[in-house]
Amino acid sequence: MEELHIFSPATVANVSCGFDAMAFALEELGDEMVFTKNDSGNVTISEITGADLPLEASKNAAGVVALAMLKDANADFGVDMRIHKNYKPGSGLGSSAASSAGAAFAVNHFLGNKYSKLDLVNFAMLGEEAACGSQIADNVAAALYGGFVLIRSYEPLDIVAISTPQELCVAVIHPQIEVKTEEARNVLPKNLDLHIAISQWANVGGLISGLHSGDYDLISRSLIDRVAEPYRKQFIPGFDELRNAAMTENALGTGISGSGPSVFALTKGMETAKSVAGAMESFYSSTGIDFKVYVSGIGKNGVRIID
Ligand code: HSE
């Protein structure tokens, strides 16, 4: 039986000002998944380690994606998957997206790469809907494309790869508490004040321009979120203190990773990322809440075959 072993990266969505419209991949953190093609035509999940998630394919984000693709392609085969999650769901690091993107990539491989990357994002968004009730593209696009992506449009889907300066790095702290994306979306306002909208899209422009030109000061000035963060930071104990700790160590800026509770800080250079991670770690050790810290460059590669 044909078998495929893949890695699908964790992702940081929103990146402060780009709610639902920007994300980037991490280098090393992510899901490992093993897919086996079968003749039965069924989609099965024989194992999930590292998280308590449904094994029933129609209730699992990756399963939903595989079912939709095999049906769309009229495939005469099925797949079994084994999913190894290296970080917990509800992290704000695109856990369901990593599984959904991984399933889209692997099933496409078995289908002879019938679908484009953009098609795969559309399928993977079905997994996001299964996991959190909304078809969000940011995390799945970053996981499938790698690097930094902009979702310029949802209808039709238009994804733009954004170049990032060589030395751009990130420190991430993941408090080991779960924030459900659905709940973190429900607290957001349905309408925006025009002044807030203006400052938000101006910062998106500033961030994209800063990333393209390698202007770290402009990146720093643009990492402001007036749309989601004011409503979501209540879910993250010590959010303001984490920001202060990171900024004291020369972070370019900080924000909530996706819908939280993870908090990211962008930095110029890995040494600064490590100092920022150390400062966040040192503060969080005083809270009594368990946590994990990661440092990474921007993950240039998306989902990939690992052996
Ligand atoms: N952009 C989404 C949100 C990411 O912030 O709700 C959720 O994973």
Side-chain angles (χ1 to χ4, degrees):
M1 280 296 160
E2 198 179 338
E3 196 173 271
L4 188 67
H5 189 177
I6 62 132
F7 169 82
S8 187
T11 45
V12 170
N14 302 340
V15 202
S16 290
C17 47
F19 178 71
D20 276 4
M22 294 196 296
F24 64 85
L26 298 187
E27 287 172 321
E28 307 288 342
L29 184 67
D31 284 358
E32 283 179 45
M33 305 170 83
V34 182
F35 295 82
T36 312
K37 201 170 166 183
N38 66 44
D39 293 332
S40 72
N42 296 326
V43 174
T44 52
I45 302 171
S46 54
E47 182 183 40
I48 300 176
T49 60
D52 186 16
L53 292 168
L55 285 165
E56 199 179 321
S58 63
K59 295 193 173 135
N60 179 290
V64 165
V65 173
L67 284 164
M69 289 177 73
L70 293 173
K71 184 170 178 214
D72 188 80
N74 250 323
D76 59 359
F77 63 89
V79 287
D80 176 69
M81 41 186 123
R82 285 174 280 151
I83 305 173
H84 305 290
K85 303 211 66 87
N86 292 314
Y87 62 106
K88 286 190 191 340
S91 60
L93 290 166
S95 176
S96 56
S99 297
S100 300
F105 176 92
V107 172
N108 197 38
H109 176 91
F110 288 151
L111 289 167
N113 293 317
K114 171 184 171 68
Y115 294 110
S116 70
K117 241 181 218 183
L118 197 63
D119 294 332
L120 297 188
V121 174
N122 268 310
F123 282 118
M125 284 165 69
L126 300 175
E128 290 293 75
E129 185 174 30
C132 75
S134 305
Q135 289 198 15
I136 315 162
D138 47 12
N139 291 103
V140 288
L144 282 159
Y145 282 67
F148 194 114
V149 293
L150 169 73
I151 319 303
R152 195 208 54 82
S153 157
Y154 270 78
E155 288 175 23
L157 198 56
D158 183 6
I159 293 165
V160 185
I162 305 295
S163 63
T164 53
Q166 198 68 33
E167 288 182 275
L168 191 68
C169 289
V170 62
V172 181
I173 183 162
H174 174 195
Q176 303 287 292
I177 51 176
E178 187 179 355
V179 172
K180 290 202 184 307
T181 298
E182 194 165 1
E183 278 169 35
R185 295 179 80 80
N186 285 341
V187 298
L188 300 179
K190 299 284 173 275
N191 297 295
L192 284 182
D193 178 275
L194 185 59
H195 291 96
I196 289 177
I198 290 168
S199 84
Q200 197 82 359
W201 63 57
N203 280 317
V204 170
L207 181 56
I208 299 287
S209 174
L211 290 170
H212 262 296
S213 60
D215 182 339
Y216 287 96
D217 285 338
L218 179 55
I219 294 171
S220 177
R221 296 200 301 281
S222 306
L223 286 169
I224 299 168
D225 174 16
R226 297 187 64 193
V227 167
E229 186 181 296
Y231 304 93
R232 288 178 164 178
K233 67 178 193 171
Q234 58 176 316
F235 298 124
I236 306 169
F239 177 79
D240 291 326
E241 291 88 342
L242 275 176
R243 163 162 292 163
N244 292 340
M247 296 312 285
T248 304
E249 291 299 323
N250 298 320
L252 298 168
T254 62
I256 301 173
S257 179
S259 53
S262 293
V263 173
F264 75 94
L266 291 182
T267 65
K268 181 178 180 186
M270 185 49 85
E271 284 314 307
T272 307
K274 287 180 184 162
S275 314
V276 166
M280 295 201 294
E281 184 170 344
S282 163
F283 163 67
Y284 232 69
S285 300
S286 68
T287 65
I289 299 168
D290 202 10
F291 64 91
K292 289 195 190 307
V293 170
Y294 308 99
V295 289
S296 175
I298 305 302
K300 303 271 179 277
N301 302 310
V303 186
R304 50 200 180 265
I305 298 171
I306 48 179
D307 57 31

